[in-house]
Amino acid sequence: MSHTHEAGWAHASGALRGPSWLREPGDPNALVQHLWSSTAAKVDGVLEVGGVRLTDLVAEHGSPAYVLDEADFRARAAAFRDGFDDFDVFYAGKAFLCTTVARWIHEEGLHLDVCTGGELAVAERAGFPMEKVGFHGNNKSVAELERAVRLGVGRIIVDSFHEIERLGAVTAGAGREVGVMVRVTAGVEAHTHEYIATAHEDQKFGFSITAGDALEAVRRVHEAPGLRLLGLHSHIGSQIFDTSGFEVAARRVLALHAKVATVLGVEMPEMDLGGGFGIAYTTQDDPADPADLAAGMREIVEHECRALGIARPALSIEPGRAIVGPSMCTVYSVGTVKQVRLDGGARRTYVSVDGGMSDNVRTALYDADYSCTVANRASDAAPVLARVVGKHCEAGDIVVKDEFLPGDVVPGDLVAVPATGAYCRSLASNYNHVLRPPVIAVRDGVARVVVRRETEDDLLATDVGDL
């Protein structure tokens, strides 16, 4: 979700105010609870998650570290399973995936959506039932398709005419059949950042309904031996807070669904409405409850089906961020703190931490907003407007653009950032040859490593050089 900041606020005379939506807290130690996982709490000033004090976690495992609240993750997965009880719910693994999370997803009764051979490999190693896996991607290789068919993946979402031809050749060579969905673009642009809105026409995903490519793709899948046509797939974007965009998209996709029955004589059994459900990163975000989303989407589809005089297809959705996003926070150690003078006599407090854009690139990539809190102690100091930045050699290496922190933040303090479960570890890099942090799952006072911290040996393992 993109937000426009008040023009010129950073250079206003006098005190630095910050963006218009950010309010100075009465107590800078307090958590804004709905931004954090359900077990997060301050106890004597120290942040605990899953009953584990983050001071203890950092003492044992170091920083930075991703902290994954298992109980919260499972509860959010169950909320989508139960709220969308007449849908198939596919967890979008691209948000964050490891073998432990894949097992949790299976135990909570969800399906799994992957979009590369690497994500499929995680599912395979986790022992995830392949018939409950969907395989996305706009440019799957022949090797990836062969692996998916060999493993018995439940459905492959095709994204181009070349892929339909490739997949037909793969199934013919293997003597196998595979379920296929056709990804379509409905011409609906979600109210979100340009780079993560995916249903408008000028982008790489899917077949255009308007141009007629979608109908032709359905025809080719239907006629191809070894490809079992399941239905249409539509995804309208990310960080979406209501069902209004789904309403327009569903109307257009269901109209195509009905047209396929009329023109090709095929009644497709399924339809996938995608994911993109939003979460709260800051106080300006107000996500909907899964049950409310389900009720709204169910009503939209049933209304359109009645209007078209068709039976409702079996529906599926693909939440990822909405499950794992709030379930994880990142804890950092403060290295330096300095005051920077701005125009008009204002000052900004820069708090530098031991991570940055290598473990959370979303601020630099999407202009994303985050919150944070001092995690290791309570403070009586008045709040100051701070910017939390990383250790990388980039001016845009910002973790939290604007947040009020206690004015006595010093090196050695811990700062924790909520809602980092989605697209942080997944997009993590070794920029500046920094080691990627571990993922530590916490529950009932126990912390366990589910993805270990990288080592310098890991970093240098692929550098064969001239040794």
Side-chain angles (χ1 to χ4, degrees), residues 431-446:
Y431 181 53
N432 292 151
H433 281 53
V434 167
L435 305 175
R436 284 179 289 189
V439 180
I440 314 294
V442 293
R443 182 169 186 172
D444 299 330
V446 177

Side-chain angles (χ1 to χ4, degrees), residues 189-451:
E189 183 170 1
H191 298 292
T192 186
H193 192 286
E194 175 186 1
Y195 295 158
I196 53 175
T198 53
H200 56 287
E201 298 289 339
D202 188 11
Q203 45 94 23
K204 70 178 185 177
F205 292 108
F207 296 92
S208 170
I209 294 175
T210 304
D213 292 343
L215 181 61
E216 174 62 16
V218 170
R219 184 188 66 77
R220 293 191 192 185
V221 170
H222 175 57
E223 293 177 354
L227 306 189
R228 185 175 72 259
L229 179 63
L230 297 178
L232 305 175
H233 182 288
S234 170
H235 180 66
I236 64 171
S238 297
Q239 194 59 353
I240 301 164
F241 290 94
D242 58 45
T243 59
S244 57
F246 290 105
E247 182 171 6
V248 179
R251 182 178 304 125
R252 295 177 182 176
V253 176
L254 281 163
L256 175 60
H257 180 93
K259 186 174 182 179
V260 168
T262 300
V263 174
L264 301 180
V266 178
E267 187 168 330
M268 296 179 289
E270 299 183 27
M271 178 175 292
D272 192 310
L273 295 175
F277 308 110
I279 67 169
Y281 287 104
T282 68
T283 55
Q284 62 190 322
D285 298 326
D286 185 21
D289 180 80
D292 293 336
L293 287 169
M297 294 177 72
R298 194 177 293 116
E299 181 179 355
I300 288 166
V301 171
E302 290 174 353
H303 176 270
E304 294 302 321
C305 286
R306 285 194 300 270
L308 291 164
I310 60 174
R312 194 191 94 166
L315 299 173
S316 51
I317 56 162
E318 297 167 356
R321 179 202 316 262
I323 294 174
V324 73
S327 298
M328 192 183 293
C329 67
T330 307
V331 59
Y332 303 94
S333 294
V334 175
T336 65
V337 180
K338 62 182 176 181
Q339 301 288 325
V340 176
R341 291 182 181 272
L342 306 178
D343 295 346
R347 294 187 179 193
R348 188 194 303 282
T349 298
Y350 275 79
V351 178
S352 296
V353 296
D354 55 353
M357 63 191 302
S358 57
D359 58 75
N360 186 352
V361 75
R362 292 190 69 258
T363 306
L365 185 63
Y366 298 136
D367 195 31
D369 290 309
Y370 282 91
S371 177
C372 63
T373 190
V374 172
N376 60 303
R377 63 183 177 89
S379 171
D380 294 328
V384 297
L385 190 62
R387 174 163 289 176
V388 179
V389 296
K391 63 183 293 180
H392 298 283
C393 194
E394 294 283 345
D397 177 26
I398 298 169
V399 179
V400 181
K401 289 181 289 186
D402 301 287
E403 184 57 280
F404 284 97
L405 292 176
D408 62 351
V409 173
V410 293
D413 278 335
L414 301 181
V415 170
V417 178
T420 58
Y423 308 105
C424 290
R425 181 59 176 80
S426 293
L427 286 169
S429 74
N430 292 124
Y431 181 53
N432 292 151
H433 281 53
V434 167
L435 305 175
R436 284 179 289 189
V439 180
I440 314 294
V442 293
R443 182 169 186 172
D444 299 330
V446 177
R448 63 188 178 105
V449 177
V450 295
V451 179

Side-chain angles (χ1 to χ4, degrees), residues 112-129:
L112 177 62
D113 169 56
V114 301
C115 57
T116 66
E119 290 179 359
L120 184 59
V122 174
E124 183 181 11
R125 174 171 287 189
F128 201 93

